[in-house]
Amino acid sequence: MVTRFAPSPTGRLHVGHAWSALLAMDMAHARDGAFRLRIEDIDGTRSRPEHLAGIVEDLRWLGVAWDGDIVFQSARLDHYEAALRRLEAMGLLYPCFCTRADIIASTAAPHGPEGPVYPGTCRGLADGERARRIAAGEPHAWRIDMAQAAERTGPLRWDALPFPAEDGARAQPVQARPLLAGDVVLARKDAPASYHLSCTLDDAAMGVTHVLRGDDLRSATDIHRLIQALLGLPSPAYIHHPLLLGADGRRLAKRDGSIALADLRAEGVDPRQLASDLRQARFPIGISLASA
């Protein structure tokens, strides 16, 4: 068994991150497996070296020990580019020149699990028009034609394990529904690979057999299963754990100033007691577990 924890260096880790990392580490080490650490640092506008140092510091303080070297996405850009070229050669990618505001403003944009679904505005552009706009330096992203991709792969399923994943628990096949997400972005100018593409490629390259992550990423698993099928990658088992909520009922997030591990350390919290509490789903005051 190989599990992983994959934070982005865009802020300090909070209690929710700590819980997820401990769960993944304990799951692997209890079965004589490996727990890996990956840093998803290809967001050029938000990733910061000080946040990377903070992640390592916070995890070591909590007693989280990973196996092998840390994997940095910034060192794997060539692999993402190669995957994009393969998908392009299949005729499944197209440039999109729409801004976020354009998509939100479109009355034809329904909402899916991840927000507004792209209405396909640029999908029908002629090749000459695409080439002209790219040559003119117009900013663009690369989207996957989800309908064509799904037609190419046929029906897909992914294996879901219950949470918590007890010994002997059997995986249940879940029907993948990537079409609900629409034509998602796989690369853009300020990010050489989207979360969907980089995460899928990295999990395969790292030999991850079990992905344990928050329930907010359940719908993303449908997209990742599609990419795996298109590129001939293995599909791990997935365990989606409930999210932690703050006192305001919203999920914990870096941008909202949620309880950071650095703050708890500054307050003199015993990391061993904190880790023990988190393992038993006992959370700091003001933090609760979302209902299923």
Side-chain angles (χ1 to χ4, degrees), residues 122-140:
C122 293
R123 188 190 309 125
L125 291 178
D127 290 343
E129 176 70 3
R130 293 174 177 175
R132 182 190 65 77
R133 296 176 72 170
I134 291 175
E138 190 170 343
H140 60 280

Side-chain angles (χ1 to χ4, degrees), residues 133-197:
R133 296 176 72 170
I134 291 175
E138 190 170 343
H140 60 280
W142 289 96
R143 292 184 180 273
I144 185 169
D145 188 321
M146 195 64 80
Q148 284 197 42
E151 183 178 356
R152 188 181 185 102
T153 65
L156 297 169
R157 296 177 183 272
W158 50 269
D159 289 336
L161 282 168
F163 177 83
E166 304 290 349
D167 285 338
R170 294 187 177 183
Q172 298 297 318
V174 175
Q175 184 72 42
R177 300 187 296 170
L179 289 173
L180 294 180
D183 295 354
V184 297
V185 169
L186 293 190
R188 61 181 189 270
K189 183 176 181 180
D190 60 345
S194 70
Y195 167 74
H196 297 305
L197 182 64

Side-chain angles (χ1 to χ4, degrees), residues 22 85 225-226 278:
L22 285 168
R85 298 290 71 83
R225 182 67 189 94
L226 178 86
L278 292 178

Side-chain angles (χ1 to χ4, degrees), residues 51-150:
H51 295 324
L52 168 59
I55 287 172
V56 173
E57 182 181 21
D58 289 341
L59 292 177
R60 287 177 172 162
W61 172 76
L62 190 64
V64 174
W66 53 91
D67 301 295
D69 295 331
I70 301 175
V71 173
F72 293 90
Q73 286 191 335
S74 56
R76 290 182 43 78
L77 301 185
D78 289 348
H79 298 277
Y80 308 146
E81 178 66 20
L84 287 168
R85 298 290 71 83
R86 284 184 62 188
L87 295 172
E88 183 180 33
M90 296 178 193
L92 299 178
L93 296 187
Y94 64 89
C96 172
F97 304 93
C98 297
T99 65
R100 186 181 298 272
D102 292 334
I103 297 169
I104 293 175
S106 173
T107 57
H111 276 64
E114 298 188 342
V117 174
Y118 181 64
T121 307
C122 293
R123 188 190 309 125
L125 291 178
D127 290 343
E129 176 70 3
R130 293 174 177 175
R132 182 190 65 77
R133 296 176 72 170
I134 291 175
E138 190 170 343
H140 60 280
W142 289 96
R143 292 184 180 273
I144 185 169
D145 188 321
M146 195 64 80
Q148 284 197 42

